[in-house]
Amino acid sequence: MSGGSGIRFDGVSVAYGRTTVLDGLDLTVEPGEVMALLGPSGSGKTTALRAVAGFVRPSAGRVFIGDRDVTGLAPHRRGVGMVVQQYALFPHLRVDANVAFGPKAQRTRPQGPKTSRADIARRVAEALEMTGMTAYARRYPRELSGGQQQRVAIARALAVRPDVLLLDEPLSALDAQLRSGMLAELARLHREMPGVSMLYVTHDQTEALTLADRIAIMDRARLRDCGTPQDLYRRPRTAFTAAFVGGANLLPVTVAERGVRLGGVALPDVPAGAASPGDTATLCLRPHLVGLGDGPNALPGTLVEAQWRGTHHRLTVDAAGHQVTADVRELREAPRPGASVTLHFASEDAALLPPGTRHE
């Protein structure tokens, strides 16, 4: 596989009429990096990917692949492979012919070096082997499961020897078990193609956290945050990031001389960072890091609901006038709604979002 090219968005905007669907995106994907674009529907993430592919033309800004400005290039001249949600396989072609489609198009293009028949055969065999689909080469798409069809779609993208691999919600049509298996396969493929950059569009936080080297958080056509999965999860910089990546309790607190206060409850061990006494801030607590019973940073309250979820109980507690969620393991018998309970959390497990941070 070729590789070594990253992606750079330089102030890229896309508008349809008076509606801006991507607003001034500045973002760099390093060579060999997996960057996930994560955000709700309509956030601009798919538009950004399509701008790299060449399927939409920016109304402002430039798109670079490596050192090449590809903003005005046709899609087939950009050196990208693309995998979409609905597979988009040719139903009348067998698997090997589907995978060969891209390299054959390269062979017949009027400009650039041609791809020989022998090289096409080698590319198809290599791509099928990498995706575990060699044994299915002579089958038609209708004879494959959904997961197998998506593997063929990935093989077809790999057969063009891309510098950049674009994946647009590639697993959303699969069931949970197949998604898990395909995530592992994509991670393996990335290890085998360390020079190929991947731009992965998803609204599924698990996919982003599992696969990406970095995650770009998109919302309402704009880039809101970017960082490693660990940084965004453990130390989110905005309430939107905290809520969207991993789920969180977001509690309004007031900074005290020591620690913070949630309503009338003092939490003296929460570090206030650069905040000053009297400042308002947002306390971010991940549900699985909130315990039940006495402990540091105790939050007394009343149990509203207890849901058994197999590996844990999800408790919803009214504490200091706010609902706090705790995912608690090893409960042989959960307390009943209305019971008085106490939650607690370790100071190092809390993140205090700076004053002025809001849920954008």
Side-chain angles (χ1 to χ4, degrees):
M1 295 290 172
S2 60
S5 294
I7 305 166
R8 180 161 61 90
F9 297 88
D10 184 6
V12 175
S13 295
V14 176
Y16 300 125
R18 297 183 178 181
T19 302
T20 298
V21 294
L22 188 65
D23 189 4
L25 177 61
D26 290 306
L27 182 68
T28 298
V29 183
E30 299 295 340
E33 182 178 36
V34 178
M35 174 74 77
L37 296 181
L38 178 65
S41 297
S43 60
K45 55 190 188 295
T46 292
T47 301
L49 181 139
R50 290 172 64 83
V52 178
F55 298 145
V56 298
R57 183 71 181 264
S59 53
R62 316 298 293 174
V63 178
F64 294 83
I65 295 178
D67 295 328
R68 292 189 304 149
D69 182 346
V70 300
T71 310
L73 287 183
H76 70 275
R77 297 182 61 196
R78 297 191 177 204
V80 304
M82 189 165 181
V83 181
V84 297
Q85 175 181 344
Q86 296 298 336
Y87 320 139
L89 301 178
F90 298 109
H92 63 290
L93 297 180
R94 290 187 172 93
V95 164
D96 54 0
N98 264 283
V99 176
F101 182 83
K104 284 183 176 179
Q106 290 177 326
R107 183 173 185 269
T108 58
R109 65 190 178 187
Q111 297 177 341
K114 303 299 186 289
T115 306
S116 69
R117 288 187 175 88
D119 193 30
I120 290 173
R122 282 193 297 270
R123 291 190 187 192
V124 170
E126 179 188 54
L128 289 175
E129 182 178 0
M130 291 184 73
T131 54
M133 292 300 293
T134 301
Y136 301 88
R138 302 301 293 167
R139 293 194 185 184
Y140 288 97
R142 64 178 178 271
E143 299 172 322
L144 304 175
S145 69
Q148 290 168 338
Q149 290 184 52
Q150 193 60 295
R151 286 172 184 261
V152 175
I154 293 170
R156 184 174 61 186
L158 297 178
V160 300
R161 302 281 177 87
D163 295 327
V164 167
L165 185 59
L166 308 175
L167 301 109
D168 188 8
E169 304 274 7
L171 309 184
S172 60
L174 306 179
D175 62 38
Q177 186 172 359
L178 280 176
R179 280 201 304 273
S180 178
M182 284 301 298
L183 268 178
E185 288 300 309
L186 286 172
R188 179 186 60 79
L189 284 173
H190 180 231
R191 291 192 299 270
E192 294 182 7
M193 304 181 301
V196 177
S197 306
M198 294 186 187
L199 190 61
Y200 189 101
V201 166
T202 182
H203 64 270
D204 187 304
Q205 58 181 334
T206 300
E207 292 179 17
L209 290 169
T210 300
L211 190 63
D213 298 309
R214 285 191 299 152
I215 300 172
I217 306 295
M218 305 288 294
D219 183 43
R220 291 181 290 180
R222 303 193 68 181
L223 176 66
R224 301 295 178 178
D225 209 343
C226 186
T228 67
Q230 294 84 358
D231 286 344
L232 295 180
Y233 187 84
R234 294 172 181 167
R235 290 292 178 264
R237 291 183 286 272
T238 70
F240 181 83
T241 298
F244 205 84
V245 180
N249 295 292
L250 298 172
L251 305 172
V253 296
T254 302
V255 178
E257 290 293 338
R258 181 184 171 193
V260 301
R261 296 188 67 86
L262 176 65
V265 178
L267 301 169
D269 294 330
V270 175
S276 301
D279 285 344
T280 58
T282 300
L283 180 64
C284 171
L285 298 174
R286 300 295 183 184
H288 75 282
L289 297 175
V290 179
L292 179 66
D294 293 330
N297 298 306
L299 276 173
T302 302
L303 183 67
V304 176
E305 185 180 25
Q307 296 179 348
W308 182 64
R309 299 195 171 189
T311 59
H312 64 275
H313 280 84
R314 169 154 286 194
L315 307 181
T316 303
V317 176
D318 186 333
H322 301 278
Q323 290 204 341
V324 182
T325 299
D327 289 339
V328 181
R329 297 179 181 271
E330 306 292 338
L331 278 182
R332 295 187 180 277
E333 185 175 352
R336 295 185 177 277
S340 295
V341 296
T342 299
L343 302 178
H344 68 271
F345 59 91
S347 299
E348 58 269 25
D349 293 332
L352 194 66
L353 305 184
T357 299
R358 61 187 180 90
H359 192 160
E360 297 188 79

